[in-house]
PDB file of all heavy atoms in Angstrom:
ATOM      1  N   PHE T 287      67.740  81.543  89.307  1.00  0.00           N
ATOM      2  CA  PHE T 287      66.636  81.411  90.268  1.00  0.00           C
ATOM      3  C   PHE T 287      66.568  82.585  91.231  1.00  0.00           C
ATOM      4  O   PHE T 287      65.503  82.883  91.777  1.00  0.00           O
ATOM      5  CB  PHE T 287      66.753  80.085  91.037  1.00  0.00           C
ATOM      6  CG  PHE T 287      66.239  78.909  90.251  1.00  0.00           C
ATOM      7  CD1 PHE T 287      67.107  78.065  89.586  1.00  0.00           C
ATOM      8  CD2 PHE T 287      64.880  78.652  90.161  1.00  0.00           C
ATOM      9  CE1 PHE T 287      66.640  76.986  88.853  1.00  0.00           C
ATOM     10  CE2 PHE T 287      64.397  77.581  89.429  1.00  0.00           C
ATOM     11  CZ  PHE T 287      65.275  76.747  88.771  1.00  0.00           C
ATOM     12  N   GLU T 288      67.695  83.239  91.459  1.00  0.00           N
ATOM     13  CA  GLU T 288      67.655  84.420  92.321  1.00  0.00           C
ATOM     14  C   GLU T 288      66.769  85.488  91.668  1.00  0.00           C
ATOM     15  O   GLU T 288      65.927  86.113  92.323  1.00  0.00           O
ATOM     16  CB  GLU T 288      69.064  84.975  92.544  1.00  0.00           C
ATOM     17  CG  GLU T 288      69.065  86.133  93.526  1.00  0.00           C
ATOM     18  CD  GLU T 288      70.444  86.761  93.735  1.00  0.00           C
ATOM     19  OE1 GLU T 288      71.409  86.385  93.041  1.00  0.00           O
ATOM     20  OE2 GLU T 288      70.536  87.655  94.592  1.00  0.00           O
ATOM     21  N   ALA T 289      66.964  85.678  90.363  1.00  0.00           N
ATOM     22  CA  ALA T 289      66.161  86.672  89.642  1.00  0.00           C
ATOM     23  C   ALA T 289      64.689  86.256  89.607  1.00  0.00           C
ATOM     24  O   ALA T 289      63.793  87.085  89.777  1.00  0.00           O
ATOM     25  CB  ALA T 289      66.707  86.853  88.225  1.00  0.00           C
ATOM     26  N   LEU T 290      64.426  84.970  89.409  1.00  0.00           N
ATOM     27  CA  LEU T 290      63.024  84.500  89.395  1.00  0.00           C
ATOM     28  C   LEU T 290      62.364  84.739  90.747  1.00  0.00           C
ATOM     29  O   LEU T 290      61.228  85.216  90.822  1.00  0.00           O
ATOM     30  CB  LEU T 290      62.950  83.000  89.101  1.00  0.00           C
ATOM     31  CG  LEU T 290      62.968  82.513  87.662  1.00  0.00           C
ATOM     32  CD1 LEU T 290      62.446  81.080  87.600  1.00  0.00           C
ATOM     33  CD2 LEU T 290      62.157  83.410  86.741  1.00  0.00           C
ATOM     34  N   ALA T 291      63.085  84.391  91.815  1.00  0.00           N
ATOM     35  CA  ALA T 291      62.517  84.547  93.159  1.00  0.00           C
ATOM     36  C   ALA T 291      62.256  86.027  93.439  1.00  0.00           C
ATOM     37  O   ALA T 291      61.234  86.388  94.034  1.00  0.00           O
ATOM     38  CB  ALA T 291      63.451  83.955  94.205  1.00  0.00           C
ATOM     39  N   ARG T 292      63.162  86.887  92.973  1.00  0.00           N
ATOM     40  CA  ARG T 292      62.975  88.319  93.192  1.00  0.00           C
ATOM     41  C   ARG T 292      61.717  88.802  92.454  1.00  0.00           C
ATOM     42  O   ARG T 292      60.950  89.604  92.962  1.00  0.00           O
ATOM     43  CB  ARG T 292      64.216  89.094  92.737  1.00  0.00           C
ATOM     44  CG  ARG T 292      64.324  90.437  93.428  1.00  0.00           C
ATOM     45  CD  ARG T 292      65.556  91.235  93.057  1.00  0.00           C
ATOM     46  NE  ARG T 292      66.798  90.507  93.019  1.00  0.00           N
ATOM     47  CZ  ARG T 292      67.563  90.384  91.937  1.00  0.00           C
ATOM     48  NH1 ARG T 292      67.214  90.936  90.800  1.00  0.00           N
ATOM     49  NH2 ARG T 292      68.690  89.708  91.990  1.00  0.00           N
ATOM     50  N   ALA T 293      61.512  88.278  91.256  1.00  0.00           N
ATOM     51  CA  ALA T 293      60.345  88.690  90.457  1.00  0.00           C
ATOM     52  C   ALA T 293      59.038  88.284  91.137  1.00  0.00           C
ATOM     53  O   ALA T 293      57.995  88.865  90.877  1.00  0.00           O
ATOM     54  CB  ALA T 293      60.423  88.074  89.062  1.00  0.00           C
ATOM     55  N   ALA T 294      59.116  87.279  92.008  1.00  0.00           N
ATOM     56  CA  ALA T 294      57.892  86.752  92.633  1.00  0.00           C
ATOM     57  C   ALA T 294      57.723  87.217  94.069  1.00  0.00           C
ATOM     58  O   ALA T 294      56.779  86.823  94.747  1.00  0.00           O
ATOM     59  CB  ALA T 294      57.930  85.233  92.600  1.00  0.00           C
ATOM     60  N   ASN T 295      58.631  88.042  94.536  1.00  0.00           N
ATOM     61  CA  ASN T 295      58.590  88.428  95.942  1.00  0.00           C
ATOM     62  C   ASN T 295      57.586  89.555  96.136  1.00  0.00           C
ATOM     63  O   ASN T 295      57.921  90.725  96.102  1.00  0.00           O
ATOM     64  CB  ASN T 295      59.983  88.855  96.405  1.00  0.00           C
ATOM     65  CG  ASN T 295      60.114  88.692  97.900  1.00  0.00           C
ATOM     66  OD1 ASN T 295      59.119  88.410  98.588  1.00  0.00           O
ATOM     67  ND2 ASN T 295      61.308  88.873  98.416  1.00  0.00           N
ATOM     68  N   PRO T 301      58.777  83.379  98.104  1.00  0.00           N
ATOM     69  CA  PRO T 301      59.520  82.273  97.509  1.00  0.00           C
ATOM     70  C   PRO T 301      60.203  81.505  98.630  1.00  0.00           C
ATOM     71  O   PRO T 301      60.803  82.111  99.517  1.00  0.00           O
ATOM     72  CB  PRO T 301      60.552  82.939  96.604  1.00  0.00           C
ATOM     73  CG  PRO T 301      60.313  84.407  96.696  1.00  0.00           C
ATOM     74  CD  PRO T 301      59.436  84.675  97.871  1.00  0.00           C
ATOM     75  N   LEU T 355      62.003  75.563  92.771  1.00  0.00           N
ATOM     76  CA  LEU T 355      61.559  76.826  93.382  1.00  0.00           C
ATOM     77  C   LEU T 355      60.055  76.761  93.597  1.00  0.00           C
ATOM     78  O   LEU T 355      59.306  76.394  92.692  1.00  0.00           O
ATOM     79  CB  LEU T 355      61.884  78.002  92.454  1.00  0.00           C
ATOM     80  CG  LEU T 355      61.407  79.374  92.942  1.00  0.00           C
ATOM     81  CD1 LEU T 355      62.239  79.848  94.132  1.00  0.00           C
ATOM     82  CD2 LEU T 355      61.463  80.412  91.830  1.00  0.00           C
TER      83      LEU T 355
END
Side-chain angles (χ1 to χ4, degrees):
F287 280 100
E288 185 183 6
L290 276 198
R292 203 178 315 120
N295 204 352
L355 177 71

